[in-house]
Amino acid sequence: MSTPTNWNDLKKDVTHRMDSAVDVLKKEFAGLRTGRAAASLLEPVVVEAYGQTMPITQCGTIGVPEPRMLTVQVWDKGLVKAVEKSIRDAGLGLNPQTDGQVVRVPIPALNEERRKELQKVAGKYAEQARIAVRNVRRDGLDILKKMEKAGHVSEDETKKHEKDIQSITDDTIKKIDEALSHKEKEIIQV
């Protein structure tokens, strides 16, 4: 990506990159198993099929028939065992069972120790997102200084835009904190 030479481009770039950090965090949170079934739980699973690895979503349809059960309707009968093995070996702590071309995946209840562990992991993900946002802020401020040196913005505009970048950063950090709070409540309530 080229370096922005005006404030509007810089603001768009900074906002987009910070929003991306929040999106990544939400995807990571979706992968945290809270004891409640969610189709996104199986999305990272890859299956050995047809001599290559492919996402489980390309082998079957993931469904959530009840709050503590996932199902994978496998399209090709020959892949049922491979899908079951992939889910078992994915490190998610799940024990799938085959029923014809449907793989049933019961979601076990969380114990207190596992809840605390998940809260720590969620906190770690949130801190990584905060670090990414602060790095974007630093990059934005560096570009702003370069723009000032190049004569694209005045010193007064630079001061104003520094505050704008800080405001965008604060709003994004607030979104991260809200997402973390929501995830922690979800972990505790299950």
Side-chain angles (χ1 to χ4, degrees):
M1 195 201 114
S2 62
T3 303
T5 56
N6 68 50
W7 165 244
N8 289 331
D9 289 346
L10 177 60
K11 183 178 178 183
K12 275 187 210 163
D13 180 53
V14 166
T15 303
H16 173 73
R17 289 173 56 200
M18 288 186 184
D19 287 346
S20 294
V22 174
D23 291 344
V24 167
L25 175 68
K26 287 180 179 177
K27 284 184 181 132
E28 287 175 332
F29 280 173
L32 280 181
R33 186 168 68 80
T34 60
R36 198 176 289 145
S40 59
L41 182 62
L42 294 180
E43 285 177 4
V45 176
V46 290
V47 179
E48 280 289 326
Y50 311 116
Q52 61 186 26
T53 58
M54 59 178 53
I56 195 167
T57 53
Q58 292 181 7
C59 299
T61 306
I62 301 171
V64 186
E66 39 187 277
R68 310 228 11 166
M69 175 75 68
L70 290 171
T71 59
V72 182
Q73 176 67 49
V74 184
W75 298 321
D76 181 348
K77 199 184 257 183
L79 293 180
V80 174
K81 289 288 182 208
V83 168
E84 182 182 359
K85 181 181 182 318
S86 296
I87 294 170
R88 188 169 282 120
D89 296 345
L92 298 171
L94 301 174
N95 190 19
Q97 296 135 9
T98 304
D99 182 10
Q101 275 186 251
V102 176
V103 177
R104 298 188 188 289
V105 187
I107 307 296
L110 295 177
N111 60 24
E112 194 58 35
E113 183 181 321
R114 181 72 177 134
R115 288 178 205 273
K116 286 183 176 144
E117 193 179 305
L118 283 175
Q119 283 180 304
K120 284 181 187 174
V121 171
K124 188 176 82 176
Y125 286 162
E127 186 54 32
Q128 289 169 344
R130 287 187 204 102
I131 290 168
V133 167
R134 289 192 292 262
N135 288 340
V136 171
R137 177 189 60 193
R138 186 196 61 227
D139 293 346
L141 293 174
D142 290 348
I143 292 169
L144 193 57
K145 293 285 186 204
K146 289 176 185 170
M147 287 168 51
E148 182 184 355
K149 282 185 182 170
H152 296 294
V153 292
S154 69
E155 192 176 326
D156 288 343
E157 288 175 316
T158 301
K159 294 285 183 223
K160 178 187 175 302
H161 296 325
E162 284 175 351
K163 288 179 182 166
D164 293 341
I165 289 175
Q166 185 59 49
S167 174
I168 295 167
T169 304
D170 293 343
D171 290 346
T172 306
I173 297 285
K174 187 177 175 193
K175 287 179 192 172
I176 290 169
D177 292 341
E178 287 170 358
L180 175 61
S181 173
H182 177 76
K183 190 64 178 184
E184 286 177 334
K185 283 180 188 152
E186 191 179 308
I187 291 168
I188 291 168
Q189 289 175 354
V190 174

